[in-house]
Amino acid sequence: MNLSHFFEHWSIVENPFRGEEARHDSIFARMGINPTLARSSIADESLAEQPPAGQSLARPLSPSVHSDFEKIMGELERPSTSIVFGEKGAGKTAIRLQIAGRIDRHNQAHPDRKIFMIPYDDLNASLDRYQQQSGSKKSNANPFEDMRLVDHMDAMLAIGTGRVLNAIMPGPTSPPPANLGDEPASALAKKARKLPAATRRDLLMLQSVYDTNDPTGHRSTHLRQLLRLQSSGFSSGTGALITIGLWIGWVPAVALFLWARIYMGFEGALATTTDIVSGVLFLAWGALLVKVFLLERLMINRIAGKVYKQLRMVNRPLSGFLGSIRKLPRATLTANELPLTDSDEQRYAMFARLRRVTEAFGFTGMLIVIDRVDEPTLVNGDSDRMRSIIWPMFNNKFLQLDRVGIKMLLPIELRHALFKESSAFFQEARLDKQNMIERLSWTGASLYDLCNARLAVCRPASSEPISLIDLFSSEVTRSDLVDALHSMQQPRDAFKFMYRCLNEHCSSVTTEDGSWKIARHTLDYVKREEAERVMQLQRGIRPA
């Protein structure tokens, strides 16, 4: 017998247990949050059903949602920080996807108080850029030993700024983000144009520093025109006088010289005096040229170079910073607003700017979701490197940002390292205030419900409902199956266990036997083999 015959008998249209990674699992994507709709396209119906204005719609959580999910999620109206540690396959990435789904549903139901999400889960480009900037050449050394909190803040600001700009000015390689709203780019651009002048200047400042999609600075010109902001400070007041002086500053000197010598015929001391006056005027014009085209350019180059060196995790070339910073008002360049040092004050001010900009588009809060820190090429699961990357973010001031929630989904190895830290470290991080979950664990009962829900999603809505235990012979009790799943500990391993049970059964019987239920001895054999695999995996002596 093969699996297709087995599934055909039970009216199962696809294997419920083949998925091992939440990002690529179509079954998980269809499970939604309401188990009562699991067998009939949950995703569409759960989105269509919205609560009345001012009320929340209470739904029972799907078995695909971990029992700690509500604590991790918190109240979207008041974003908070959560720190979660979990084994590989415990469902951290699934939680990240469920957080994103919950935010999307909340934003659709409450367009006037949306939540702006910054996904901080693909660190490859940022860490590659960091290694280049930090200059670490030794392959066996930890290149992240000197990582700072401001490096992470810069990377997060670049992601958040990019999501706003891509919604206003989408390009072929920068599609608009899903959670910024359903309005077209033209409508969002029109809304941006009507923002208060201070908010428009905040957006231009963020773009000048954190726009990784602008390698030359041309996007700054486009944004400045879109927002109807004047250029470079040379548009009114003293700036206008300087511009006029650049163009016609030589005219008074030449006019005085020609008037005195040719038309009036001055000679002697009077001629010398007019020559001196015209020479002084010409030198003043020359000094203005030197100031604007040499000294100010050198100043801008120096500032852009400092910003480029400080933003060690922002993947943008120096030419992009040069082109954008040239278009900022001169007052900004001398007001200590740019991130020229390793001080965090400018970064917190940038977060405040991003918050003001997003508020103008209806976002009252912000969520930063951190995941997959063990996956980048330069990390490859190394616990010391993960520790160097994550530890700078254990800062109470950062984790308690006003109206900003930070969800950290971390590998279990970091939990072991955390417990070795000193009391001074805990005092600075104040982890007692961060909704910390020490281990993302699953019981056998919860894994049984999860597998049962996946089975239901893979069967037609018109078919007779069945339970997971119905796939096993009568000598297998529900307690036996729950106990076997409990020894798997994680969803990924539970799916592998069920997948192997199905395969072992189908390979041991023929289609003519008509044996459509898994025997007790098959369950016991697979349980023993899989439990050994899980134990070896936890000891680090087995790859998967």
Side-chain angles (χ1 to χ4, degrees):
M1 180 188 297
N2 57 35
L3 276 175
S4 62
H5 291 131
F6 185 86
F7 289 154
E8 183 180 357
H9 173 81
W10 290 103
S11 299
I12 300 173
V13 295
E14 62 179 307
N15 195 326
F17 309 115
R18 67 184 176 191
E20 297 183 6
E21 172 59 40
R23 289 177 297 155
H24 310 133
D25 188 359
S26 60
I27 297 173
F28 173 77
R30 298 202 307 270
M31 290 182 71
I33 64 168
N34 190 342
T36 62
L37 301 175
R39 306 176 71 236
S40 57
S41 184
I42 294 175
D44 295 336
E45 295 190 38
S46 61
L47 287 175
E49 185 182 2
Q50 300 295 349
Q55 299 181 21
S56 62
L57 183 61
R59 294 191 185 99
L61 290 178
S62 164
S64 66
V65 177
H66 192 274
S67 57
D68 286 324
F69 178 76
E70 289 302 323
K71 179 179 180 180
I72 297 169
M73 189 75 233
E75 295 184 39
L76 285 177
E77 301 286 348
R78 301 175 182 82
S80 60
T81 291
S82 299
I83 300 175
V84 182
F85 298 96
E87 303 273 4
K88 294 179 178 67
K92 299 186 296 296
T93 297
I95 288 175
R96 172 173 61 84
L97 297 175
Q98 288 163 344
I99 289 174
R102 177 71 67 87
I103 290 174
D104 287 340
R105 285 185 286 271
H106 172 86
N107 290 350
Q108 290 186 29
H110 308 286
D112 58 333
R113 49 185 196 275
K114 297 181 290 186
I115 298 297
F116 185 76
M117 179 177 168
I118 297 179
Y120 194 51
D121 63 303
D122 188 0
L123 303 183
N124 262 308
S126 297
L127 295 182
D128 288 344
R129 160 79 172 164
Y130 176 88
Q131 187 186 39
Q132 291 177 349
Q133 286 290 91
S134 61
S136 177
K137 302 295 184 183
K138 298 179 181 178
S139 59
N140 59 343
N142 181 358
F144 310 117
E145 287 180 344
D146 298 325
M147 185 165 282
R148 312 163 300 180
L149 171 61
V150 294
D151 293 323
H152 289 294
M153 296 176 75
D154 288 332
M156 294 169 184
L157 285 164
I159 295 171
T161 300
R163 292 175 77 82
V164 174
L165 293 172
N166 292 344
I168 299 173
M169 302 182 296
T173 60
S174 55
N179 73 334
L180 204 65
D182 298 327
E183 296 178 90
S186 57
L188 292 172
K190 185 176 181 181
K191 185 181 293 186
R193 196 176 296 119
K194 295 180 179 180
L195 296 177
T199 306
R200 285 181 281 144
R201 287 193 293 269
D202 286 339
L203 182 54
L204 181 62
M205 168 73 89
L206 289 167
Q207 188 278 331
S208 299
V209 179
Y210 293 113
D211 187 5
T212 57
N213 289 322
D214 187 11
T216 61
H218 293 318
R219 206 179 190 195
S220 296
T221 302
H222 182 196
L223 179 64
R224 180 174 51 77
Q225 294 170 347
L226 184 150
L227 299 178
R228 296 176 180 172
L229 290 172
Q230 296 170 332
S231 172
S232 303
F234 294 161
S235 52
S236 61
T238 306
L241 294 176
I242 292 175
T243 303
I244 294 172
L246 289 174
W247 283 98
I248 64 173
W250 57 275
V251 173
V254 173
L256 179 62
F257 179 82
L258 294 176
W259 176 73
R261 286 301 180 89
I262 298 176
Y263 296 104
M264 301 302 296
F266 288 163
E267 296 180 356
L270 187 58
T272 302
T273 302
T274 56
D275 288 345
I276 292 173
V277 173
S278 61
V280 169
L281 292 174
F282 194 82
L283 287 174
W285 177 68
L288 183 62
L289 289 177
V290 170
K291 175 183 182 298
V292 172
F293 292 107
L294 180 60
L295 297 181
E296 288 203 358
R297 179 158 296 193
L298 289 175
M299 178 189 71
I300 291 173
N301 289 354
R302 180 175 59 86
I303 291 174
K306 285 185 175 182
V307 173
Y308 175 77
K309 289 180 180 179
Q310 281 297 320
L311 272 58
R312 301 190 294 183
M313 290 182 69
V314 177
N315 195 20
R316 191 183 189 193
L318 178 59
S319 58
F321 293 108
L322 281 169
S324 294
I325 290 176
R326 285 195 185 109
K327 298 173 178 63
L328 290 176
R330 295 300 177 267
T332 300
L333 304 182
T334 58
N336 196 31
E337 295 181 1
L338 294 172
L340 304 178
T341 67
D342 60 0
S343 170
D344 60 8
E345 291 304 318
Q346 287 80 16
R347 275 73 170 194
Y348 283 119
M350 289 290 187
F351 261 105
R353 288 187 178 93
L354 181 59
R355 217 167 47 235
R356 289 194 293 269
V357 169
T358 54
E359 282 176 1
F361 290 96
F363 295 90
T364 58
M366 188 181 300
L367 272 188
I368 302 170
V369 184
I370 302 168
D371 186 26
R372 298 165 59 199
V373 298
D374 57 335
E375 294 186 15
T377 306
L378 291 175
V379 177
N380 273 336
D382 186 284
S383 58
D384 289 336
R385 296 190 178 196
M386 289 190 289
R387 179 183 177 279
S388 298
I389 292 170
I390 294 299
W391 259 227
M393 287 189 279
F394 284 153
N395 177 286
N396 187 50
K397 180 179 178 181
F398 171 69
L399 295 176
Q400 296 294 323
L401 275 171
D402 183 36
R403 286 175 289 170
V404 178
I406 300 170
K407 309 299 182 182
M408 305 178 73
L409 308 172
L410 307 177
I412 197 67
E413 292 88 346
L414 291 180
R415 172 185 176 271
H416 306 324
L418 180 65
F419 282 5
K420 298 176 183 178
E421 292 294 338
S422 64
S423 58
F425 177 88
F426 295 133
Q427 186 62 31
E428 178 183 358
R430 290 303 306 273
L431 297 180
D432 58 300
K433 301 172 62 176
Q434 316 302 348
N435 294 317
M436 189 173 78
I437 295 176
E438 294 185 8
R439 187 171 182 273
L440 201 63
S441 59
W442 293 77
T443 64
S446 59
L447 290 173
Y448 178 89
D449 289 339
L450 175 58
C451 292
N452 220 11
R454 293 178 67 89
L455 178 64
V457 170
C458 293
R459 301 182 72 245
S462 58
S463 61
E464 187 71 22
I466 64 171
S467 179
L468 188 67
I469 192 63
D470 294 331
L471 302 182
F472 291 81
S473 64
S474 58
E475 57 186 352
V476 178
T477 65
R478 184 177 283 103
S479 297
D480 293 333
L481 186 52
V482 168
D483 181 65
L485 289 169
H486 182 76
S487 62
M488 298 301 107
Q489 303 180 22
Q490 316 293 345
R492 183 177 297 164
D493 293 315
F495 301 158
K496 288 182 177 182
F497 166 78
M498 287 301 306
Y499 186 88
R500 189 169 176 187
C501 280
L502 296 174
N503 269 318
E504 289 288 341
H505 170 74
C506 291
S507 63
S508 63
V509 300
T510 66
T511 306
E512 293 179 352
D513 290 337
S515 179
W516 305 110
K517 295 199 174 188
I518 303 170
R520 174 63 181 262
H521 65 83
T522 303
L523 173 69
D524 292 338
Y525 169 74
V526 174
K527 174 185 174 182
R528 183 170 60 254
E529 292 289 316
E530 289 297 299
E532 178 68 18
R533 181 190 61 80
V534 170
M535 183 179 65
Q536 292 178 357
L537 176 62
Q538 292 175 349
R539 290 179 178 177
I541 59 177
R542 189 183 180 103

